[in-house]
Amino acid sequence: MTDNEPRILIVDDEKNCLRAINDVFDLEGIPCLTAQSTAKALELVQRHDIEIVLSDVRMPGLSGMNLLREVKKLKPDITVIMMTGYGSIQDAVEAMRKGAYNYIMKPVIIQDLLLQVRDILARIESKAQPTLLAEIAQNLPSGKVLLGNSPRMQNIAQLISKIANTDLPVLILGESGTGKELAANAIHYNGDRAGKKIIAINCAAFPENLLESELFGHKKGAFTDAHADKIGKLALVDGGTLFLDEIGDMKPAMQAKVLRVLEEKEFTPVGSNEGVKINFRIIAATNKDLGNALAEGSFRSDLYFRLNAVTINMPALREIPQDIPLLARYYAEDFAGRLNRSKISIADEAMELLKSYSWPGNVRELANTIRRAVALSDANTIGIYDFPAHLQQSPSADVSTTAENNSSLALAEMEKRHILQILEKAGNNKSQAAQWLGIHRDTLLRKLKKYGLHTDDD
């Protein structure tokens, strides 16, 4: 898209409002297209790379609500802002449920609208700029993704880029579901060993004797059930990367054997007397507090210091709420594709709910929540009621209830105050005020009369 190509579409059957908003954006160097009907607007949306639609709600023929629905079907990523001079709480809630970004009252405060649009455009542009983490993710295999634009995740990306081509041992810390294995994969596939295997072992999934056999392999007859030779993971990972997940659950005796392998680059299969030389990189991860484990003596200090040449702390999802929209949209698109669904978007109030929830299961829980919503949603937009009951009970789930309790009087009072502010700025010149508000002068006079304000001519 070129700098001069229109990115915004303004839709309103009232010519004066259309012209007023368009003129302001034109003066600000933001090219726009205009339409006075839903039919014309849909035609323009299909012909141009529109990123923002500003639409009146009430128009002859198909309404703005119809336009919102059709735009979201055609291009779910388009940001739609609804405008109306006949606002109600119910209309606002309905618009947000259908995927509107915002619902604003007329008379429009042009400067506020301009700031809002600039913020949306900046957000779109920032998403379009490739981040370091996005560049790292390009090397990951299909189905594995490590995302985030937050400073915490970008710092992790910077660290991964620095250590990927080294053989430094890495210890990844973080709660369950934060993406520790994804970080390990990012290190491996962005390094010199990317052409070899990365093999993961969950240390918590095996009893101690079976973990030793799984890791080192064994010779036939080494123990009761050893009916044949078994090749261990260390032999298979030669030249690649070994990822020991949940290493905090490994018993001290096994820790000593792993330490010996790391120091000597050699292992001995169970039941064998011959050592096997091995070349590999080690990455370990745990959700345990290794500081406490060291103090308690359940984790060897010499192994700890051998493993944590570099430490990566994966943040809990509640610590990086700014990354939730990016992750949620990714999973929505990914799971929709897997289910052969059309592209699906997430309503703004649903996104606010996702951002407000504490996510004890972190990114894994978010992915499962979005997968469920995509599977159960009957529309192309995920709403609050597509989420599990426990998530709906989160504080921000009460958007509509809270709004209804405020009553329509609150909207009227806000509109009245906006009009008074603009009138004051215009020196009580109603023609000037109407132009700034983006409405016809007669409309302004009707609203002044409605609120019992001074209606004498200029």
Side-chain angles (χ1 to χ4, degrees):
M1 180 179 293
T2 65
D3 292 340
N4 293 324
E5 188 173 346
R7 307 169 65 183
I8 300 172
L9 172 62
I10 310 167
V11 189
D12 200 317
D13 63 309
E14 193 171 333
K15 289 183 180 180
N16 289 333
C17 180
L18 201 64
R19 185 172 59 250
I21 297 176
N22 187 44
D23 287 349
V24 170
F25 279 79
D26 187 52
L27 288 171
E28 294 293 328
I30 304 175
C32 299
L33 293 173
T34 61
Q36 288 186 257
S37 70
T38 294
K40 180 63 176 177
L42 290 173
E43 178 190 335
L44 293 173
V45 165
Q46 293 181 73
R47 286 169 43 201
H48 298 272
D49 292 327
I50 299 298
E51 294 174 327
I52 302 174
V53 173
L54 310 174
S55 175
D56 190 21
V57 171
R58 297 192 180 186
M59 294 183 291
L62 293 176
S63 70
M65 289 295 192
N66 293 119
L67 175 62
L68 169 61
R69 184 180 64 250
E70 295 303 317
V71 164
K72 286 297 180 180
K73 284 182 182 178
L74 288 169
K75 298 181 179 180
D77 290 337
I78 288 181
T79 301
V80 182
I81 298 176
M82 306 302 295
M83 307 179 293
T84 183
Y86 307 90
S88 72
I89 295 296
Q90 290 78 10
D91 287 345
V93 171
E94 182 64 18
M96 302 299 264
R97 283 177 179 166
K98 288 182 177 179
Y101 176 82
N102 202 359
Y103 184 95
I104 60 178
M105 291 289 299
K106 287 182 177 181
V108 176
I109 307 301
I110 295 293
Q111 292 304 316
D112 289 348
L113 177 61
L114 185 61
L115 286 173
Q116 190 171 157
V117 167
R118 285 197 180 282
D119 180 66
I120 295 168
L121 291 174
R123 175 169 54 83
I124 292 171
E125 288 166 1
S126 67
K127 286 165 62 177
Q129 296 297 320
T131 63
L132 181 56
L133 199 58
E135 293 174 5
I136 287 173
Q138 288 178 0
N139 293 322
L140 286 171
S142 175
K144 297 183 183 296
V145 61
L146 189 64
L147 294 174
N149 289 327
S150 63
R152 288 280 297 275
M153 292 304 295
Q154 288 303 307
N155 287 340
I156 288 172
Q158 188 173 33
L159 183 55
I160 288 174
S161 69
K162 288 181 178 179
I163 64 174
N165 282 324
T166 74
D167 273 341
L168 289 170
V170 182
L171 180 61
I172 306 174
L173 306 176
E175 296 178 8
S176 179
T178 52
K180 298 186 291 294
E181 186 170 356
L182 289 171
N185 276 279
I187 295 168
H188 173 77
Y189 285 106
N190 282 274
D192 294 335
R193 296 180 183 268
K196 299 291 184 177
K197 292 180 179 179
I198 176 172
I199 294 180
I201 296 181
N202 188 328
C203 300
F206 297 94
E208 185 173 6
N209 61 323
L210 291 183
L211 179 59
E212 183 177 7
S213 175
E214 186 72 15
L215 191 58
F216 300 139
H218 63 250
K219 303 298 288 184
K220 180 180 178 180
F223 48 86
T224 302
D225 294 326
H227 302 303
D229 289 355
K230 177 181 177 177
I231 300 176
K233 293 294 192 291
L234 277 173
L236 296 174
V237 82
D238 190 27
T241 301
L242 179 68
F243 176 53
L244 294 179
D245 199 7
E246 306 303 349
I247 197 169
D249 292 281
M250 185 181 284
K251 301 298 182 184
M254 190 64 191
Q255 293 172 29
K257 295 175 181 179
V258 170
L259 177 63
R260 177 180 174 276
V261 172
L262 294 179
E263 290 178 338
E264 299 180 11
K265 295 295 182 181
E266 181 179 287
F267 72 94
T268 304
V270 179
S272 173
N273 294 319
E274 296 182 7
V276 179
K277 288 294 182 181
I278 183 77
N279 172 24
F280 69 101
R281 182 181 193 164
I282 183 74
I283 300 177
T286 182
N287 60 10
K288 298 290 180 64
D289 185 337
L290 290 187
N292 287 339
L294 290 170
E296 295 168 355
S298 61
F299 200 86
R300 297 177 60 105
S301 59
D302 46 6
L303 177 59
Y304 173 77
F305 291 120
R306 188 72 175 79
L307 289 173
N308 78 333
V310 178
T311 301
I312 295 177
N313 288 283
M314 298 299 292
L317 190 53
R318 64 181 174 276
E319 297 171 344
I320 48 172
Q322 62 269 53
D323 284 341
I324 291 175
L326 175 66
L327 289 162
R329 292 188 184 104
Y330 168 80
Y331 287 123
E333 182 175 346
D334 181 45
F335 295 133
R338 295 188 195 185
L339 295 172
N340 293 319
R341 293 278 306 273
S342 58
K343 195 170 182 180
I344 195 164
S345 61
I346 302 173
D348 286 337
E349 81 275 11
M351 189 67 80
E352 288 303 316
L353 179 56
L354 295 178
K355 288 163 64 177
S356 73
Y357 181 58
S358 60
W359 297 110
N362 294 296
V363 177
R364 185 182 295 122
E365 183 184 4
L366 173 64
N368 289 334
T369 298
I370 298 298
R371 180 189 290 113
R372 176 188 185 276
V374 170
L376 297 181
S377 177
D378 293 324
N380 290 328
T381 301
I382 295 173
I384 286 177
Y385 299 108
D386 294 312
F387 296 144
H390 71 275
L391 188 58
Q392 293 180 31
Q393 293 167 6
S394 182
S396 69
D398 296 325
V399 171
S400 59
T401 303
T402 303
E404 287 168 4
N405 289 339
N406 286 338
S407 84
S408 59
L409 291 176
L411 283 174
E413 181 61 24
M414 290 174 63
E415 182 180 51
K416 178 180 175 181
R417 291 179 183 178
H418 285 158
I419 291 174
L420 287 173
Q421 289 174 359
I422 296 301
L423 272 172
E424 183 178 356
K425 290 180 180 179
N428 205 40
N429 184 314
K430 296 178 182 58
S431 297
Q432 182 66 68
Q435 183 178 353
W436 285 350
L437 290 168
I439 60 175
H440 193 276
R441 186 175 182 279
D442 291 341
T443 303
L444 174 60
L445 294 177
R446 285 197 301 272
K447 289 182 177 293
L448 291 173
K449 185 175 182 180
K450 171 185 174 183
Y451 296 128
L453 300 173
H454 185 60
T455 59
D456 289 346
D457 289 341
D458 300 332

